[in-house]
């Protein structure tokens, strides 16, 4: 469940366009992206992560409203939300 007090710029639910396997052989599933003026967060496999964190041996390099860039075994991969739902500050929904 997301923190309802967080101001959202981008929000969406979906799955990866490309599968990234960690050392534990668990596929990473990008579930949501949350962006505010002060921080950028993503929910991957049910865990909230931010830039410079690691999940299942995969380093989180960058988070944008449309994708998360990760580094695994020296290679960069982009995780995408298939059907993004953007919510602006005034509450209007796009997507």
């Amino acid at each position: 469940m997301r923190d309802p007090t967080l101001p959202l710029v981008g929000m969406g639910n979906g799955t990866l366009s490309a599968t990234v396997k960690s050392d534990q052989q668990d596929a990473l599933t990008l579930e949501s992206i949350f962006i505010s003026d002060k921080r950028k967060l993503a929910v991957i496999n049910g865990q909230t992560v931010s830039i410079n964190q690691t999940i299942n041996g995969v380093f989180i390099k960058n988070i944008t409203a449309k994708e998360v860039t990760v580094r695994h075994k020296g290679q960069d991969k982009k995780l995408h939300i298939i059907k993004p739902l953007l919510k602006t500050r005034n509450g209007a929904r796009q997507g």
Side-chain angles (χ1 to χ4, degrees), residues 24-79:
Q24 292 88 6
Q25 294 300 308
D26 295 327
L28 297 182
T29 301
L30 176 59
E31 299 168 4
S32 298
I33 294 172
F34 303 95
I35 297 180
S36 72
D37 292 336
K38 296 183 181 183
R39 60 184 173 174
K40 297 177 180 182
L41 302 172
V43 178
I44 299 174
N45 292 6
Q47 290 186 291
T48 302
V49 295
S50 60
I51 296 171
N52 296 325
Q53 287 188 315
T54 301
I55 180 170
N56 295 344
V58 177
F59 179 74
I60 309 300
K61 283 187 70 176
N62 194 27
I63 299 171
T64 69
K66 295 183 179 182
E67 65 189 21
V68 174
T69 304
V70 298
R71 181 171 268 289
H72 183 248
K73 294 186 177 180
Q75 293 186 340
D76 288 354
K77 302 283 184 185
K78 293 185 187 276
L79 312 181

Side-chain angles (χ1 to χ4, degrees), residues 2 8-15 30-35 64-67 80-89 91-95:
R2 78 166 185 85
L8 299 180
V9 173
M11 182 176 116
N13 291 312
T15 59
L30 176 59
E31 299 168 4
S32 298
I33 294 172
F34 303 95
I35 297 180
T64 69
K66 295 183 179 182
E67 65 189 21
H80 297 274
I81 293 177
I82 292 176
K83 286 189 171 186
L85 171 65
L86 299 178
K87 189 172 184 181
T88 60
R89 291 181 190 272
R93 292 182 181 200
Q94 301 172 349

